[in-house]
Amino acid sequence: MKVPLLDLSAHHMPIQQEILKAVEAVFKSQVFILGTEVEKLEKNIAAYCRTTHAIGVSSGTDALLVSLMALEIGPGDEVITSPYSFFATAGAITRVGATPVFVDIDPATYNINPGLIEQATTPRTKAIIPVHLYGQCADMGPILEIARKHSLAVIEDAAQAIGAEYSDGERAGSMGAVGCFSFFPTKNLGALGDGGMVVTHDPDIAERVRVLRVHGSESKYYHKRVGGNFRLDAIQAAVLNVKLAYLDQWTRQRQENAQEYLLLFKESGLIENQRVILPKMVYEFVVPYYHIYNQFVIRVLDQDALNRDALNRDSLRAYLQQAGIGTEVYYPVPLHLQECFHTLGYKEGDFPCAESAARETLALPIFPGLSRAQQWYVVKTIQSFYGS
Ligand SMILES: *Cc1c(COP(=O)(O)O)cnc(C)c1O
């Protein structure tokens, strides 16, 4: 049996006609950059995320970059973030000339550990970028409290978490000063190319992002600040307007698939034997809807990291590959150990929780359209890897 990590065609085929019609309408309008489809998407996303403003941008990376620019964060400033994320989170901080300051993660959720943030603040700290990794909100309560106490801006990297909730129905992206989203095709709401969104409650920040999006010009050819080309394409916006209507349904399917894995893994005995640790749903008792499972990530305990024949994450991954099951490692190298950041002076051992996560985690297929039989096959194959 073949089980891909992600089957985009399962997403797109049932709504192919609707998508192509929307693309054709943009073609007929001959308006390809910004325009009414982008404006419509901005309204839709603001409503979906429960914020007052949304500004369509060129990617999730550019959403982070333009947010930092709008908050006037630059050389000499420090920004606290997680060492265990996609590269763009720290890359954007560096690109505005500021310094990323990493804080280790909570080993159960893989999100930044709020208990370690305060000791990392200095007089130069300007912002915190929590990442809602894999589709689960970081622990925003204490993060916002520390930010208030030290007058720091909070920029939520919600690229993997559209629609995720923290508590009281607060949605990812709506809790900090700014929220950043990505429409990269593998995200829960994916375009047919690159795209992103900045959301905020603050009208001034919204206006600054809008101006920076078009090279810092409020009126054409007059530039108050140096911005960039951070614009969203009309075709991508039109496709996203179609797909947004299906997002809740897809999220529900991801959550049902996660529940099914929980049952299958419980029955397998792999959890009792401490072979596999499943995603922990910390806020389950508050909001059952909180986790949107952009990824379903298990931890494969690595008790004997030096033994190359050991039953570890990498050998399990190879075994699953042989059996036709696609998996991925998010992320094999934590950000503080990336070559481009060696001048920051971090070394191995600085963030043990991020480092063990990089060694031990494995993302399994969770996409909407995954069948029960496929999930059963995934868990059975993991069982047979452990010879049980
Ligand atoms: C995908 C992603 C980004 C970047 O988004 P792009 O649209 O690919 O530029 C940033 N942060 C996180 C956590 C992501 O998963």
Side-chain angles (χ1 to χ4, degrees):
M1 185 185 285
K2 282 253 180 275
V3 191
L5 179 67
L6 171 67
D7 184 358
L8 274 181
S9 69
H11 254 84
H12 289 144
M13 284 314 152
I15 54 170
Q16 183 181 357
Q17 287 316 315
E18 214 182 330
I19 288 176
L20 293 180
K21 240 176 75 187
V23 171
E24 191 178 12
V26 173
F27 183 78
K28 281 187 176 148
S29 80
Q30 295 288 307
V31 176
F32 298 114
I33 307 277
L34 299 177
T36 52
E37 283 294 338
V38 172
E39 284 163 24
K40 186 172 148 198
L41 183 70
E42 289 172 342
K43 281 204 183 73
N44 287 341
I45 295 291
Y48 192 79
C49 297
R50 302 179 184 150
T51 61
T52 41
H53 304 274
I55 304 98
V57 295
S58 31
S59 68
T61 302
D62 287 343
L64 290 163
L65 186 61
V66 77
S67 297
L68 287 160
M69 291 169 79
L71 293 165
E72 300 193 325
I73 289 164
D77 297 337
E78 292 175 359
V79 179
I80 292 172
T81 193
S82 167
Y84 191 61
S85 177
F86 178 60
F87 178 76
T89 316
I93 298 168
T94 307
R95 281 180 64 196
V96 296
T99 304
V101 173
F102 297 115
V103 161
D104 209 0
I105 56 168
D106 173 340
T109 64
Y110 309 111
N111 282 323
I112 194 167
N113 183 342
L116 302 174
I117 291 177
E118 197 146 25
Q119 66 203 59
T121 58
T122 75
R124 288 189 297 276
T125 311
K126 288 285 150 53
I128 307 170
I129 307 186
V131 182
H132 305 315
L133 203 68
Y134 305 143
Q136 172 171 266
C137 285
D139 195 3
M140 291 300 286
I143 293 172
L144 292 168
E145 207 170 294
I146 295 162
R148 232 179 336 260
K149 190 168 145 199
H150 295 269
S151 305
L152 310 176
V154 174
I155 301 170
E156 297 173 65
D157 183 341
Q160 300 181 8
I162 191 161
E165 293 184 8
Y166 178 58
S167 63
D168 302 327
E170 283 180 299
R171 288 207 158 166
S174 72
M175 294 171 272
V178 192
C180 299
F181 292 94
S182 163
F183 303 128
F184 187 79
T186 62
K187 311 292 179 179
N188 285 24
L189 180 63
L192 306 184
D194 280 310
M197 190 71 68
V198 174
V199 299
T200 180
H201 294 293
D202 185 325
D204 295 331
I205 293 175
E207 184 53 28
R208 270 177 269 156
V209 171
R210 274 185 202 287
V211 171
L212 287 166
R213 177 173 69 172
V214 286
H215 291 291
S217 73
E218 263 171 68
S219 58
K220 214 173 179 181
Y221 306 126
Y222 293 83
H223 302 268
K224 281 199 180 156
R225 281 190 68 187
V226 178
N229 172 0
F230 302 131
R231 295 175 304 233
L232 181 62
D233 289 359
I235 286 180
Q236 299 307 340
V239 170
L240 290 164
N241 278 322
V242 170
K243 290 184 73 177
L244 181 60
Y246 297 91
L247 182 57
D248 282 343
Q249 179 184 319
W250 290 329
T251 298
R252 219 156 26 241
Q253 286 175 33
R254 286 174 183 273
Q255 290 167 334
E256 283 164 13
N257 293 346
Q259 288 305 317
E260 182 69 13
Y261 270 136
L262 298 183
L263 287 177
L264 289 168
F265 273 109
K266 268 184 198 158
E267 284 167 13
S268 73
L270 289 166
I271 303 174
E272 289 148 56
N273 298 339
Q274 293 270 301
R275 295 297 199 181
V276 164
I277 295 178
L278 297 181
K280 191 173 179 193
M281 294 176 290
V282 187
Y283 311 114
E284 195 170 27
F285 56 97
V286 186
V287 187
Y289 190 65
Y290 81 98
H291 199 321
I292 60 142
Y293 293 101
N294 178 242
Q295 303 295 344
F296 187 91
V297 174
I298 61 169
R299 185 190 280 267
V300 182
L301 289 183
D302 192 353
Q303 277 124 344
D304 189 3
L306 295 176
N307 177 0
R308 293 177 132 265
D309 299 323
L311 300 179
N312 58 27
R313 190 266 317 269
D314 292 331
S315 50
L316 172 60
R317 186 169 188 224
Y319 188 86
L320 292 171
Q321 184 74 38
Q322 284 287 315
I325 298 167
T327 62
E328 188 54 90
V329 173
Y330 302 106
Y331 298 90
V333 182
L335 297 175
H336 67 287
L337 300 178
Q338 293 290 346
E339 200 177 327
C340 62
F341 290 140
H342 80 276
T343 48
L344 296 176
Y346 293 105
K347 58 188 187 317
E348 199 156 352
D350 283 346
F351 304 114
C353 296
E355 290 165 25
S356 72
R359 260 195 321 272
E360 297 183 332
T361 56
L362 189 66
L364 304 181
I366 187 76
F367 62 90
L370 184 70
S371 74
R372 291 290 174 260
Q374 285 175 311
Q375 290 193 275
W376 184 84
Y377 177 65
V378 169
V379 177
K380 277 288 158 210
T381 309
I382 296 174
Q383 264 182 296
S384 76
F385 170 75
Y386 285 111
S388 56

